[in-house]
């Protein structure tokens, strides 16, 4: 099976899964999931796992040995300012221009604060960052994010950690059609491999998830399940799926086959 | 060789070192215990432990095959002279976090789902607080600091040669067992610190018989009843080598979570806010490393109190019979 690569900010990738590194039972389990899922991008949180006594904690060192692209995130930041400071820290620690930008509106829903997100995207892009903004399916906000310098958009499937899948497929389809050339990644809310498949069938470029694999009974095997589901969804999209119909249409014509029921006798 | 003539050095007087020294002294070895800190347990992560002996609940965030080993270790605790409270564990969640309770139920064994009436029977102070809970009747807890003190006294009773404030050259021995936690980092490059923060509060006219764990998507916590109307509230799990004081955020989360278990905690007095690191290996499971007569036991992570007796048994079988059986030998 050929797996045409795609690129994010000029980096060629063959895996369309971006994996979060939080919540695993152990670093060993994380390593297993990275391997089985085939992911080439691992996100990591800077705000919580803060090392103060040395330049990087052992956990970060461990992640750096995984041979993947690191995508520092600003998980849990509540203001644009806080997110910018965190992003600067990520650039310094991991020597990357990439940042997964989260500006959270409130702790209960973990919805993106779109105003703060646009503000931080503008500032970070001006400072040379390549921003992966965690946003909603709102097209107005999406336009503003692109205007602010983002070249990728990451709309949510449903709120972070809920595992409810694609809550608004209509809006996500609209977004895909509205931005045919922009790399779009579903970020957050994915629970089952079928959720990831559905998004890929719609033509989304990639899936970013964490909890669905980290908190699975067996993260290693779930990683493989998502790998296969994402590949299947992408392949289906490229192979052009049939349209839905209201009426049944037999796949073998019945007219003119006088003894079509003979075989069942 | 006659046991009495075999000398064993145990280095580090946290829960692993104390149990190790206790086990070997009971078996008739000549044991010396060396500890760097001048005051007992001052520098040990065990001092900050919740000391829940919870084979089933701990498996939620760990490996299922740890359960039988943890159960065996709990048995050893129960057969020991130290006070172990066999009152089970109660897991609760607020109604809107019911999904957390369901997920925990699905991921663990050894529990029964109980409702308001039974919750109230087990913990009268929690009357009308929760509609449902999970009860793990075969789990236990203990008071970590008094038990460590009791272990130390038992060692002295057994003529163990105990050296605190010791950093020099240790006397030669037939075996040396290193249980220094993060202190052994240079010998174990894979060892990493995982920060934990905890609070101790005191509250009158309030009592719990068993650890209560609150499930929450962002700020889970547990409350462990300690002697003298004290309650230990723990604990954050942060991948960090920071050993500095508790952050405001963690304090808010821990105390806020306790307050949401029972508003009575609003009147509690804070006796202590402490932070430390748990020595952890990549799979978060403790290991015994053997190099001839040098043995390292490390990586207890969240399982120090739970697994200390079993690890001590394993090391003792190695010393007596050169047996290295079980999942903990590396």
């Amino acid at each position: 099976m050929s797996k045409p690569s795609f690129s994010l900010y000029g980096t060629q990738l063959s895996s369309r899964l971006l994996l979060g590194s939080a919540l695993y039972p152990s670093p060993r389990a994380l390593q297993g999931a990275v391997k089985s899922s085939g992911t080439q991008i691992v996100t990591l949180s800077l705000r919580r796992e803060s090392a103060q006594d040395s330049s990087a904690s052992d956990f970060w060192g461990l992640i750096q040995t995984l041979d993947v692209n690191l995508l520092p995130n600003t998980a849990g930041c509540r203001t644009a300012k806080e997110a910018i400071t965190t992003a600067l820290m990520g650039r310094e620690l991991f020597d990357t221009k990439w940042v997964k930008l989260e500006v959270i509106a409130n702790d209960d829903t973990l919805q993106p604060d779109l105003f703060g997100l646009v503000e931080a995207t503008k500032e970070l892009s001006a400072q040379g960052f390549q921003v992966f903004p965690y946003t909603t399916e709102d097209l107005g906000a999406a336009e503003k994010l692109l205007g602010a310098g983002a070249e990728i958009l990451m709309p949510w499937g449903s709120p972070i950690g809920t595992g409810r899948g694609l809550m608004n497929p209509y809006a996500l389809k609209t977004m895909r059609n509205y931005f045919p050339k922009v790399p779009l990644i579903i970020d957050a809310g994915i629970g089952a491999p079928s959720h990831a498949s559905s998004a890929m069938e719609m033509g989304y470029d990639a899936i970013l998830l964490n909890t669905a694999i980290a908190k699975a009974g067996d993260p290693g095997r779930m990683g493989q399940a998502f790998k296969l589901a994402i590949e299947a969804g992408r392949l289906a999209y490229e192979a052009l799926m049939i349209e839905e119909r209201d009426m049944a249409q037999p796949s073998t014509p019945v007219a003119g086959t006088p003894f079509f029921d003979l075989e069942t006798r | 060789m006659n046991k009495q003539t075999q000398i064993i050095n145990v280095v580090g007087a946290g829960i692993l070192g104390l149990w190790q020294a206790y086990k070997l002294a009971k078996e008739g070895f000549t044991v010396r215990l060396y500890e760097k800190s001048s005051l007992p347990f001052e520098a040990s992560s065990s001092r900050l432990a919740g000391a829940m002996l919870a084979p089933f609940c701990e498996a939620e965030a760990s490996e299922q095959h740890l359960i039988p080993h943890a159960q065996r270790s709990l048995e050893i605790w129960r057969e020991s002279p130290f006070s172990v409270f066999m009152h089970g564990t109660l897991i609760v969640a607020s109604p809107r976090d019911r999904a957390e309770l369901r997920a925990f139920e699905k991921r663990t064994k050894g529990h029964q789902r109980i409702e308001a009436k039974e919750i109230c029977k087990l913990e009268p102070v929690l009357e009308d607080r929760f509609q449902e809970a999970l009860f793990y009747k075969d789990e236990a807890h203990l008071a970590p600091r008094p038990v460590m003190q009791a272990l130390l006294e038992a060692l002295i009773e057994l003529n163990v040669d105990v050296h605190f404030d010791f950093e020099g050259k240790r006397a030669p021995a037939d075996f040396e067992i290193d249980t220094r936690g993060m202190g052994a980092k240079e010998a174990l490059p894979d060892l990493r610190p995982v920060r934990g923060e905890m609070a101790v509060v005191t509250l009158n006219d309030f009592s719990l018989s068993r650890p209560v764990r609150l499930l929450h998507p962002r700020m889970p916590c547990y409350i462990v009843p300690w002697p003298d109307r004290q309650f230990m509230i723990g604990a954050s799990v942060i991948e960090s080598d920071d050993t500095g004081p508790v952050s405001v955020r963690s304090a808010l989360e821990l105390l806020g979570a306790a307050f949401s278990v029972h508003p009575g905690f609003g009147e509690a007095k804070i006796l202590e806010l402490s932070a430390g690191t748990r020595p952890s290996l990549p799979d978060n499971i403790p290991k015994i490393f053997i190099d001839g007569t040098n043995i390292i036991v490390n990586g207890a992570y969240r399982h120090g109190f739970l697994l200390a007796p079993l690890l001590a048994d394993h090391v003792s079988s190695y010393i007596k019979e050169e047996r290295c059986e079980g999942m903990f030998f590396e």
Side-chain angles (χ1 to χ4, degrees):
Chain A
M1 187 178 72
S2 74
K3 273 201 294 174
S5 68
F6 76 120
S7 88
L8 297 174
Y9 286 113
T11 298
Q12 293 293 319
L13 300 156
S14 52
S15 163
R16 292 174 178 271
L17 173 64
L18 289 74
L19 190 61
S21 59
L23 303 173
Y24 292 81
S26 68
R28 172 98 2 117
L30 166 62
Q31 278 172 323
V34 166
K35 214 166 158 207
S36 68
S37 71
T39 186
Q40 294 170 296
I41 299 183
V42 170
T43 73
L44 74 175
S45 159
L46 291 174
R47 192 164 172 269
R48 189 66 170 148
E49 320 292 353
S50 64
Q52 310 207 332
D53 299 342
S54 62
S55 62
S57 77
D58 293 86
F59 181 67
W60 292 346
L62 220 134
I63 287 185
Q64 280 170 313
T65 63
L66 292 175
D67 194 28
V68 290
N69 298 284
L70 293 183
L71 176 56
N73 70 49
T74 63
C77 290
R78 295 286 298 271
T79 64
K81 201 175 163 189
E82 199 182 348
I84 292 165
T85 313
T86 307
L88 288 167
M89 194 170 109
R91 178 160 74 177
E92 199 170 306
L93 280 168
F94 300 109
D95 194 26
T96 173
K97 284 191 255 181
W98 285 5
V99 62
K100 181 195 165 195
L101 189 61
E102 282 183 29
V103 183
I104 296 302
N106 71 70
D107 281 344
D108 267 349
T109 63
L110 301 176
Q111 295 197 44
D113 168 6
L114 299 174
F115 302 92
L117 186 65
V118 171
E119 188 188 332
T121 300
K122 199 169 180 180
E123 172 64 27
L124 290 170
S125 300
Q127 294 202 30
F129 279 90
Q130 296 173 329
V131 179
F132 296 59
Y134 165 60
T135 181
T136 68
E137 60 282 269
D138 187 288
L139 298 179
E143 299 252 38
K144 287 212 157 58
L145 287 168
L146 296 173
E151 290 174 21
I152 291 172
L153 296 172
M154 301 208 295
W156 61 357
S158 47
I160 297 172
T162 58
R164 302 182 81 95
L166 310 180
M167 293 293 278
N168 195 343
Y170 166 72
L172 291 171
K173 273 183 201 159
T174 308
M175 190 171 196
R176 179 69 284 181
N177 294 335
Y178 195 82
F179 298 110
K181 300 277 184 215
V182 178
L184 295 182
I185 300 170
I186 295 287
D187 178 5
I190 299 294
S194 56
H195 300 153
S197 256
S198 304
M200 295 307 292
E201 287 167 9
M202 281 181 198
Y204 274 79
D205 293 278
I207 306 290
L208 194 159
L209 59 87
N210 187 343
T211 313
I213 290 180
K215 296 295 264 183
D218 182 340
R221 304 221 303 173
M222 192 58 81
Q224 194 189 0
F226 272 99
K227 172 187 173 15
L228 297 172
I230 289 168
E231 285 175 4
R234 178 66 194 180
L235 207 56
Y237 171 73
E238 289 173 359
L240 296 181
M241 288 186 294
I242 61 159
E243 293 301 317
E244 288 180 11
R245 280 199 181 84
D246 289 336
M247 291 300 290
Q249 188 199 36
S251 43
T252 311
V254 278
T257 52
F259 308 113
F260 67 89
D261 59 343
L262 275 179
E263 282 174 33
T264 62
R265 282 188 190 161
Chain B
M1 202 187 310
N2 190 322
K3 272 185 207 170
Q4 273 74 9
T5 63
Q6 281 205 314
I7 301 172
I8 298 172
N9 287 347
V10 177
V11 191
I15 190 62
L16 295 188
L18 290 168
W19 248 106
Q20 192 63 69
Y22 175 71
K23 169 76 185 168
L24 294 170
K26 287 269 282 189
E27 297 200 329
F29 291 96
T30 301
V31 181
R32 308 191 195 105
L33 178 65
Y34 295 98
E35 164 62 42
K36 190 172 73 173
S37 71
S38 49
L39 285 172
F41 326 129
E42 187 186 41
S44 168
S45 8
S46 312
R47 201 176 65 83
L48 307 178
M52 290 172 289
L53 308 177
F56 298 106
C57 289
E58 281 303 314
E60 192 266 339
S62 175
E63 315 231 357
Q64 294 292 323
H65 62 267
L66 206 59
I67 294 176
H69 300 279
Q71 283 176 307
R72 175 69 203 121
S73 205
L74 173 53
E75 280 307 307
I76 307 173
W77 268 118
R78 293 184 67 187
E79 290 155 11
S80 80
F82 309 107
S83 304
V84 173
F85 305 101
M86 202 59 206
H87 297 165
T89 306
L90 201 59
I91 306 270
V92 297
S94 75
R96 70 174 194 173
D97 295 327
R98 188 170 290 164
E100 302 289 322
L101 206 61
R102 292 280 174 277
F104 204 91
E105 185 174 17
K106 210 168 115 187
R107 290 168 58 92
T108 54
K109 300 186 181 110
H111 51 63
Q112 59 194 103
R113 196 192 298 177
I114 61 171
E115 293 181 354
K117 224 160 110 191
E118 294 149 286
I119 299 173
C120 175
K121 215 185 277 173
L122 287 170
E123 298 292 359
V125 294
L126 295 183
E127 185 175 11
D128 292 336
R129 295 294 307 158
F130 300 97
Q131 288 312 304
E132 55 181 342
L134 300 174
F135 181 48
Y136 297 72
K137 66 176 172 53
D138 295 323
E139 296 191 334
H141 71 286
L142 52 79
R145 294 172 192 180
V147 163
M148 287 169 85
Q149 188 57 41
L151 266 162
L152 186 59
E153 282 160 19
L155 295 183
I156 290 161
E157 194 83 2
L158 290 163
N159 293 318
V160 171
D161 202 359
V162 182
H163 304 267
F164 280 93
D165 201 8
F166 189 94
E167 280 207 86
K169 201 168 147 49
R170 295 179 287 272
D174 296 297
F175 287 92
E176 190 153 273
I177 307 168
D178 177 349
T179 70
R180 290 175 299 153
M182 284 316 298
K185 171 81 181 162
E186 82 283 359
L188 298 172
D190 271 352
L191 196 66
R192 73 183 203 289
V194 177
R195 178 172 163 91
E197 294 152 294
M198 55 85 90
V200 184
V201 303
T202 178
L203 180 57
N204 285 324
D205 304 324
F206 188 90
S207 72
L208 292 172
S209 304
R210 55 186 62 71
V212 175
R213 295 192 191 210
L214 174 75
L215 303 181
H216 187 277
R218 292 186 313 281
M219 21 189 218
C221 88
Y222 54 78
I223 303 170
V224 189
W226 277 9
D228 304 325
R229 302 223 170 271
Q230 292 183 10
F231 300 88
M232 184 267 197
I233 303 167
S236 57
V237 178
I238 305 173
E239 291 286 348
S240 168
D241 56 2
D242 177 11
T243 53
V246 177
S247 71
V248 169
R249 176 176 161 190
S250 290
L252 284 172
E253 287 183 356
L254 287 174
L255 298 174
F259 185 76
S260 80
V261 169
H262 197 287
F265 279 105
E267 301 310 314
K269 304 284 187 273
I270 301 171
L271 301 178
E272 177 181 333
L273 280 168
S274 298
T277 56
R278 310 168 177 91
S280 313
L281 290 161
D283 59 1
N284 291 345
I285 290 175
K287 294 278 179 323
I288 301 167
F289 302 87
I290 305 275
D291 178 10
T293 59
N294 287 313
I295 301 163
I296 302 178
V297 189
N298 211 321
Y301 184 54
R302 281 163 52 161
H303 312 306
F305 274 86
L306 180 57
L307 294 176
L310 186 69
L311 292 167
D313 272 18
H314 282 352
V315 171
S316 155
S317 338
Y318 169 73
I319 288 176
K320 287 184 298 189
E321 301 150 34
E322 292 209 4
R323 267 201 334 204
C324 299
E325 278 165 27
M327 66 181 287
F328 302 107
F329 283 98
E330 189 60 21

